[in-house]
Amino acid sequence: MDKKQNEMSKFLSYVLRHEPQAIGLTLDAEGWANIDSLIAGAALQGYAFTHEIIRQIVDTSDKKRFTLSADGASIRAAQGHSTAQVNISYQPKAPPETLYHGTATRFLDDILAQGLEAKSRQYVHLSADEVTATAVGQRHGKQVVLRINAGEMQTQGFIFYQADNGVWLTESVPPLFIAQ
């Protein structure tokens, strides 16, 4: 992905996950936005999206942040929403025994004391592999990867979901289920 596409991808993430109203866009409860409306609203902010550019961003995103509808008329962020109007109805799914969470070392003491909380997002994001968790943690500073005992969490009644892009989601992770 070139620099311009990367900038456009970040703009799409911002709009589809956090601030659709910034370009006059309305998302439905499942997070879907009409692509023609997105293109028109983004143009007012100086972004020259086309259907082709959007498809290319979706297809080349290493994190698979976006999903196109089957008819190609709508797009949504796969997960990570902080806007209250979106509440994607994921189906519960049994997680692997161990999931991973990448974070910065500066957050470690708080996490080990309080657990992982969704905060401004709807869910805590977890990875199925350490490589992905490492990459996520590096975005925030000196990284550390935490192991989450997801199998035991599920046994005790915690619910897990998996987003379109493979990210595992749950509402919180108490400290009891976290190991370094």
Side-chain angles (χ1 to χ4, degrees), residues 92-97 149-160 177:
K93 186 172 181 181
E97 282 299 311
N149 189 344
E152 183 60 28
M153 284 181 66
Q154 184 189 31
T155 298
Q156 292 194 26
F158 288 84
I159 299 171
F160 289 84
F177 302 104

Side-chain angles (χ1 to χ4, degrees), residues 115-168:
L116 293 167
E117 300 170 352
K119 301 201 181 207
S120 66
R121 294 188 179 179
Q122 295 173 343
Y123 298 101
V124 172
H125 297 182
L126 304 170
S127 304
D129 62 89
E130 289 184 73
V131 172
T132 302
T134 298
V136 169
Q138 289 173 339
R139 293 186 321 200
H140 304 289
K142 185 177 178 193
Q143 63 83 28
V144 62
V145 174
L146 304 173
R147 290 187 318 279
I148 309 302
N149 189 344
E152 183 60 28
M153 284 181 66
Q154 184 189 31
T155 298
Q156 292 194 26
F158 288 84
I159 299 171
F160 289 84
Y161 309 95
Q162 193 171 28
D164 299 342
N165 62 355
V167 171
W168 284 91

Side-chain angles (χ1 to χ4, degrees), residues 1-35:
M1 188 178 293
D2 67 24
K3 185 177 178 181
K4 180 69 172 170
Q5 263 191 330
N6 189 47
E7 179 184 329
M8 293 176 90
S9 177
K10 287 181 178 184
F11 180 77
L12 276 180
S13 287
Y14 167 72
V15 168
L16 294 174
R17 294 167 84 181
H18 309 296
E19 296 287 338
Q21 66 276 11
I23 62 168
L25 191 63
T26 301
L27 307 180
D28 72 12
E30 294 293 317
W32 293 107
N34 176 275
I35 290 177

Side-chain angles (χ1 to χ4, degrees), residues 19-95:
E19 296 287 338
Q21 66 276 11
I23 62 168
L25 191 63
T26 301
L27 307 180
D28 72 12
E30 294 293 317
W32 293 107
N34 176 275
I35 290 177
D36 291 330
S37 298
L38 182 139
I39 290 170
L44 298 174
Q45 297 293 322
Y47 289 90
F49 284 101
T50 64
H51 283 267
E52 294 76 27
I53 289 172
I54 289 172
R55 180 169 295 284
Q56 189 174 24
I57 290 170
V58 170
D59 291 344
T60 60
S61 170
D62 59 340
K63 296 178 183 159
K64 303 296 180 203
R65 286 191 167 118
F66 312 105
T67 305
L68 290 176
S69 61
D71 65 2
S74 299
I75 186 172
R76 74 176 177 189
Q79 41 57 237
H81 299 88
S82 64
T83 178
Q85 71 192 59
V86 175
N87 189 13
I88 297 175
S89 56
Y90 299 109
Q91 294 302 310
K93 186 172 181 181

